[in-house]
Amino acid sequence: MTSPFGAPPVGRGRDDACPGALRLHPADDGALARVRLPGGLLTAAQAEALGRLSEELGDGHLDLTSRGNVQLRGLRSDAGGELADRLGAAGLLPSIRHERVRNIVASPLAGVDGCGHADVQAWTRELDRLLCVSDAATGLSGRFLFALDDGRGDVAALGGDVTLIALPDRRAVLHVGPVAPGSGIAMPAEDGPRQALRAAEEFLAVLRDGGQRAWRVREVDPDGSLIRARLGASTPAETVDFGPPPGFGVVHDSDGTVAGLSLGLRFGRASAPQWRLLAEAAARGSGELRLTPWRGVVLPGASAAEVPILAEAGLIADSGSPWHGASACTGLPGCAKSLADVRRDAAEALAAQRPSTAKLLPVHWSGCARRCGHPGGDRWVDVLATADGYQVSVAGTDRADLPGSQQMSAAVAAARSTPQTRTT
């Protein structure tokens, strides 16, 4: 899978600049920290700890990323030491050396709705454990991504560097680079996490042997064949169709029983009071929150009685909402590189749209050509601020920019209705 904005550079001359919990990023609104949460997994107590940190050290908000991680903004420039100590006390920094490479997304509804073929949350915990004891893995960039899919095809569509997909009968298929027919490596499901880490280590070996520097597999091995050969893989396996992200609202299991809630955050941002309500609802359920790569939150075991309270607080519990699948970068005034207050403009555009039961493409507003935080995968609506206004197009296609004479809301609505053809 290649970027819709051109081929990535090969032979990078520097390390990636991704922020972490220890490497703070300076922004116009203060320092920014990104806390990696493999699989988006948090206990209710850990969520409460993050909420307190946002209030006491930051701007009182928490931002979800397109990899299910959390960002704290508005931090003091000297807050790093205290932040690290408190994250460590909450169990959110198991390895200082590996904190930026723990990039793992996992199917957030696994084990909740009765779909899927494996408990990928167990895969997540095992892969994270293996990562944190691998000396070689410290060489991965902060952009390298593992995707663990329970067979429904949701995170398999996110363009991971290493993707592990559950199959029936306790089997799994491992993809290196793009998820494509015939390119997977079949294996017993219990071997999946170990082989996923091995694939990442072989990627690093390819770089070392070639004297190269790269952040992602596609930069040096576009179809994954080189790394598959190093793994000694000779047995291709079938794969799955890509599936949609979770909808919002009450989640039912296979027999119709309420099994939890799936909620959205506007632009993936929660105030500390909203976050506290989520943590409290999680504590009354299974005690766990799962942050999704689509900037939502799944609360396994939570009751439908929580919905009115959470919706009243501004959380999204309706899958027909125009906010479903909508995201935006920080924009002005938080980012000096932005050409517009994209969140204000996006909110106005979304307010003008009607709820819909149709499946719509994700949409992302960007304040500049860097397109920070854009959705994973290759099919989404790209709303880009320029010096002459906004351009609206469908990323990953040959579709031209929609006419500038159209109102942005109408242009976005038309682009989101583009047919979705997301299968391998």
Side-chain angles (χ1 to χ4, degrees), residues 330-345:
T330 299
L332 293 175
C335 177
K337 295 183 183 296
S338 181
L339 298 176
D341 185 344
V342 291
R343 293 194 173 185
R344 179 200 64 197
D345 296 341

Side-chain angles (χ1 to χ4, degrees), residues 266-290:
R266 298 188 180 200
F267 300 129
R269 170 162 262 225
S271 66
Q274 288 175 320
W275 190 260
R276 191 170 297 112
L277 287 175
L278 287 168
E280 291 170 352
R284 290 189 288 269
S286 70
E288 179 181 85
L289 300 86
R290 300 180 183 179

Side-chain angles (χ1 to χ4, degrees), residues 329 331 337-340 342 365-369 371 383-386 390:
C329 71
K337 295 183 183 296
S338 181
L339 298 176
V342 291
W365 275 261
S366 300
C368 74
R371 294 174 170 87
V383 188
L384 176 65
T386 73
Y390 284 97

Side-chain angles (χ1 to χ4, degrees), residues 331-421:
L332 293 175
C335 177
K337 295 183 183 296
S338 181
L339 298 176
D341 185 344
V342 291
R343 293 194 173 185
R344 179 200 64 197
D345 296 341
E348 291 178 357
L350 292 167
Q353 296 178 15
R354 296 180 179 179
S356 172
T357 58
K359 291 184 179 180
L360 302 177
L361 287 175
V363 56
H364 183 75
W365 275 261
S366 300
C368 74
R370 294 185 305 164
R371 294 174 170 87
C372 294
H374 72 72
D378 61 354
R379 297 281 291 169
W380 49 277
V381 177
D382 178 33
V383 188
L384 176 65
T386 73
D388 299 319
Y390 284 97
Q391 295 177 351
V392 182
S393 60
V394 180
T397 75
D398 294 328
R399 182 181 179 126
D401 291 343
L402 296 175
S405 60
Q406 286 186 276
Q407 293 294 321
M408 182 174 61
S409 180
V412 169
R416 296 189 78 184
S417 299
T418 302
Q420 300 187 53
T421 55

Side-chain angles (χ1 to χ4, degrees), residues 247-322:
F248 295 148
V250 177
V251 178
H252 298 87
D253 64 17
S254 55
D255 65 6
T257 302
V258 173
L261 302 178
S262 176
L263 302 155
L265 306 177
R266 298 188 180 200
F267 300 129
R269 170 162 262 225
S271 66
Q274 288 175 320
W275 190 260
R276 191 170 297 112
L277 287 175
L278 287 168
E280 291 170 352
R284 290 189 288 269
S286 70
E288 179 181 85
L289 300 86
R290 300 180 183 179
L291 311 186
T292 80
W294 304 278
R295 296 179 171 88
V297 182
V298 170
L299 303 178
S303 166
E306 306 279 4
V307 171
I309 300 168
L310 296 169
E312 177 67 22
L315 299 166
I316 306 166
D318 178 8
S319 283
S321 169

Side-chain angles (χ1 to χ4, degrees), residues 30-111:
L32 177 153
R34 183 176 299 162
V35 183
R36 265 65 175 189
L37 303 172
L41 298 177
L42 275 174
T43 66
Q46 288 172 330
E48 290 174 0
L50 283 172
R52 289 193 297 272
L53 283 171
S54 76
E55 290 180 302
E56 296 169 15
L57 300 182
D59 66 0
H61 292 81
L62 301 99
D63 292 282
L64 307 192
T65 76
S66 60
R67 294 181 169 190
N69 296 318
V70 162
Q71 290 186 164
L72 303 175
R73 299 188 68 100
L75 299 167
R76 302 188 315 270
S77 59
D78 62 351
E82 182 179 355
L83 176 66
D85 289 344
R86 292 175 65 173
L87 289 173
L92 294 171
L93 277 181
S95 171
I96 298 298
R97 298 173 64 216
H98 297 81
E99 67 96 7
R100 288 196 322 122
V101 306
R102 301 168 65 227
N103 293 304
I104 305 172
V105 294
S107 300
L109 289 179

Side-chain angles (χ1 to χ4, degrees), residues 211-260:
Q212 297 173 287
R213 300 182 72 176
W215 299 342
R216 307 293 304 273
V217 164
R218 63 175 179 259
E219 297 172 13
V220 293
D221 191 12
D223 64 359
S225 58
L226 179 60
I227 296 172
R228 287 199 303 275
R230 295 181 70 105
L231 291 170
S234 59
T235 305
E238 70 271 29
T239 186
V240 297
D241 288 342
F242 292 159
F248 295 148
V250 177
V251 178
H252 298 87
D253 64 17
S254 55
D255 65 6
T257 302
V258 173

